[in-house]
């Protein structure tokens, strides 16, 4: 069976052409499938019956199954999704006053092995398909429903869940196209953010094939420290990364890069690190998102004191750089940054989850 969630509009149109259907039918189906969050061909009554019957014989609309859903005290919701062969991924919805952000995963595990990241410590399992990436919006949309004004609740998407989006380039780009398509989720490019650890060639490809807002995980003011906590820096060092950011901005829908910077107690959170950082980014229009480290089991790092976080922010602010401290959301359900799949890794709970996955 062909899973239609794997197709962006041009891929769906090409498939329809193959089966002798007109392009406008592909748009119709896209709308039903994504905007309408409909997975049942029989319920798509505005689509010709003959087409529905044809599709039923060879296609399906199959999002990943929900293994578990958690609701945090602060309203954050997390879904654990089964992607087969004992692999689970997580999707997190963060409601705020004027927006609702969905944090989406792109890989089961991650190969890049950043020292402070729970997903990285889990190792790499596999790339998610387009259906599994966009299926996270599908599942969340269905669960969240619509507002009283009949609007969808997800207004922003960040690819900041498990995995490195740009290491799963083709499937991620197809999923991005569906998010942006008027017949898909209709999100603005400025409200869809790809977060990368800094894969330079793929950043350039993204700027050409599907530019969105970009967040770059910086986390260190110099190559010495970055080499130690992010092995990818040995391949793509900071000077090249800064140039790649500047290049990206020529095509980006926003006029700044968001730099994510985890504060690790005693490692990269001192005033001299902030000073050094100012020098590093001086030619790149940017904002900073400071993320106090979220601890997980067996991690060697500690969260900094609140005072050093504020001091770090003030040094950037005084220089005229907007720097915000990321509020930790959903940490009571292990949904905060870098905590995703912590539970799958945890041996005692793993058995429970794997049992469910194999059912
Ligand atoms: N692979 C991509 C996107 C997923 S990680 C990337 O690295 O950018 C999303 C963000 O969470 C990244 O900025 C990442 O560095 C951060 N993160 C990872 N582990 C964390 C932890 N333990 N505490 C806080 N943030 C963490
Ligand atoms: Fe992978 Fe991002 Fe975690 Fe690094 S921080 S291991 S790139 S998911």
């Amino acid at each position: 069976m062909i899973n239609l969630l794997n197709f962006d509009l041009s891929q769906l149109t090409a498939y329809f052409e193959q089966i002798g259907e007109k392009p406008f039918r592909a748009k119709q189906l896209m709308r039903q499938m994504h905007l309408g969050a409909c997975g049942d061909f029989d319920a798509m009554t505005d689509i010709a019956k003959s087409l529905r019957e044809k599709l039923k014989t060879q296609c399906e609309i199959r999002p990943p199954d929900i293994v578990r859903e958690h609701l945090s005290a602060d309203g954050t919701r997390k879904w654990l999704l089964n992607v087969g062969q004992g692999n689970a991924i997580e999707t997190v919805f963060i409601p705020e006053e004027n927006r609702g952000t969905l944090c989406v995963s792109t890989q089961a595990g991650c190969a890049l092995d950043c020292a402070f990241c729970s997903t990285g410590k889990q190792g790499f399992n596999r790339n998610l398909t387009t259906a599994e990436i966009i299926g996270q919006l599908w599942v969340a949309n269905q669960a969240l429903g619509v507002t009283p004004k009949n609007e969808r609740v997800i207004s922003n998407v960040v690819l900041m869940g498990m995995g490195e989006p740009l290491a799963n380039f083709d499937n991620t780009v197809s999923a991005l196209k569906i998010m942006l398509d008027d017949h898909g989720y209709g999100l603005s490019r400025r409200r869809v953010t790809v977060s990368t650890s800094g894969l330079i060639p793929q950043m350039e490809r993204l700027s050409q094939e599907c530019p969105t807002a970009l967040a770059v995980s910086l986390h260190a003011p110099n190559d010495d420290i970055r080499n130690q906590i992010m092995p990818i820096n040995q391949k793509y060092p900071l000077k090249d990364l800064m140039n790649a950011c500047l290049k990206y901005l020529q095509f980006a829908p926003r006029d700044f890069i968001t730099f994510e910077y985890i504060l690790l107690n005693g490692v990269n959170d001192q005033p001299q690190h902030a000073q050094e950082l100012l020098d590093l980014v001086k030619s790149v229009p940017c904002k900073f998102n400071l993320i106090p480290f979220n601890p997980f089991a067996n991690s060697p790092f500690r969260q900094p004191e609140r005072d050093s976080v504020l001091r770090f922010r003030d040094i950037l602010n005084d220089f005229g750089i907007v720097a915000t401290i990321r509020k930790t959301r959903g940490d009571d359900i292990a949904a905060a940054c870098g905590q995703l799949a912590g539970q799958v890794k945890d041996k005692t709970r793993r058995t429970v989850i794997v049992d469910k996955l194999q059912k």
Side-chain angles (χ1 to χ4, degrees):
M1 283 292 209
I2 293 174
N3 187 354
L4 295 178
L5 291 180
N6 273 314
F7 294 147
D8 62 34
L9 184 57
S10 63
Q11 293 162 334
L12 190 64
T13 308
Y15 172 64
F16 269 39
E17 203 174 1
Q18 259 178 40
I19 60 170
E21 296 289 339
K22 298 236 159 59
F24 83 90
R25 299 256 182 235
K27 289 183 180 158
Q28 246 181 344
L29 186 78
M30 243 358 222
R31 280 189 175 271
Q32 291 281 338
M33 209 167 34
H34 293 293
L35 272 179
C38 181
D40 176 5
F41 293 118
D42 286 330
M44 300 178 177
T45 45
D46 66 342
I47 290 181
K49 186 140 196 278
S50 57
L51 172 56
R52 283 188 272 146
E53 292 304 322
K54 195 192 293 186
L55 292 176
K56 267 162 55 181
T57 62
Q58 44 190 308
C59 307
E60 59 183 354
I61 297 171
R62 180 191 283 276
D65 296 331
I66 300 177
V67 181
R68 267 204 318 235
E69 184 177 349
H70 298 266
L71 180 61
S72 159
D74 66 13
T76 301
R77 287 168 78 156
K78 178 170 90 166
W79 294 272
L80 186 71
L81 304 174
N82 177 8
V83 292
Q85 289 130 23
N87 288 319
I89 53 156
E90 292 179 306
T91 303
V92 180
F93 177 71
I94 306 153
E96 285 172 288
E97 212 166 289
N98 47 7
R99 64 180 169 195
T101 303
L102 193 73
C103 180
V104 166
S105 297
T106 53
Q107 299 181 309
C110 181
L112 298 184
D113 199 25
C114 300
F116 46 77
C117 175
S118 156
T119 305
K121 292 292 129 203
Q122 186 194 327
F124 176 67
N125 297 313
R126 70 169 173 83
N127 282 331
L128 299 186
T129 62
T130 301
E132 288 163 344
I133 301 171
I134 206 66
Q136 297 169 62
L137 272 86
W138 199 95
V139 163
N141 246 336
Q142 254 213 346
L144 295 165
V146 291
T147 65
K149 285 190 190 155
N150 210 27
E151 288 159 343
R152 288 275 163 213
V153 187
I154 299 169
S155 63
N156 294 56
V157 172
V158 294
L159 301 193
M160 293 184 187
M162 296 165 66
E164 167 53 52
L166 298 186
N168 181 13
F169 191 86
D170 292 344
N171 295 345
T172 294
V173 164
S174 286
L176 287 172
K177 285 182 175 164
I178 301 170
M179 291 175 208
L180 301 174
D181 203 306
D182 284 341
H183 303 286
Y185 293 86
L187 295 170
S188 120
R189 285 181 192 282
R190 301 158 56 88
R191 288 175 173 268
V192 175
T193 302
V194 171
S195 175
T196 180
S197 56
L199 304 188
I200 292 177
Q202 289 90 333
M203 284 165 64
E204 186 160 356
R205 273 186 74 190
L206 187 70
S207 75
Q208 300 304 311
E209 294 179 32
C210 191
T212 60
L214 189 71
V216 172
S217 290
L218 203 53
H219 305 327
N222 59 47
D223 284 322
D224 253 9
I225 299 180
R226 202 165 189 264
N227 284 339
Q228 284 172 44
I229 59 176
M230 298 181 73
I232 191 67
N233 194 67
Q234 292 160 24
K235 193 161 177 196
Y236 302 122
L238 283 170
K239 187 164 167 284
D240 299 346
L241 184 55
M242 292 304 112
N243 286 332
C245 288
L246 271 177
K247 226 168 163 184
Y248 190 88
L249 283 175
Q250 294 173 9
F251 305 95
R254 286 189 179 272
D255 54 9
F256 61 90
I257 298 281
T258 302
F259 285 128
E260 296 165 278
Y261 194 98
I262 299 191
L263 293 161
L264 305 165
N265 189 27
V267 176
N268 64 356
D269 66 336
Q270 298 301 302
Q272 80 261 21
H273 297 131
Q275 295 291 351
E276 209 177 348
L277 205 51
L278 292 174
D279 197 46
L280 176 72
V281 303
K282 61 178 185 280
S283 60
V284 183
C286 63
K287 292 187 181 175
F288 267 80
N289 211 327
L290 301 174
I291 318 170
F293 172 65
N294 288 316
F296 54 91
N298 303 323
S299 153
F301 301 108
R302 279 183 304 130
Q303 204 164 52
E305 300 294 332
R306 189 74 190 160
D307 277 357
S308 52
V309 174
L310 296 177
R311 197 176 49 193
F312 202 94
R313 181 199 60 190
D314 291 346
I315 296 174
L316 299 182
N317 285 346
D318 288 349
F319 195 75
I321 294 183
V322 176
T324 49
I325 300 168
R326 188 177 293 173
K327 268 190 285 173
T328 296
R329 298 286 303 265
D331 55 347
D332 54 337
I333 55 170
C337 300
Q339 289 182 323
L340 298 185
Q343 297 184 346
V344 185
K345 228 188 92 203
D346 182 307
K347 268 204 173 141
T348 46
R349 297 202 209 170
R350 177 173 214 145
T351 356
V352 179
I353 292 169
V354 170
D355 277 348
K356 281 199 185 173
L357 289 175
Q358 286 170 342
K359 262 186 202 155

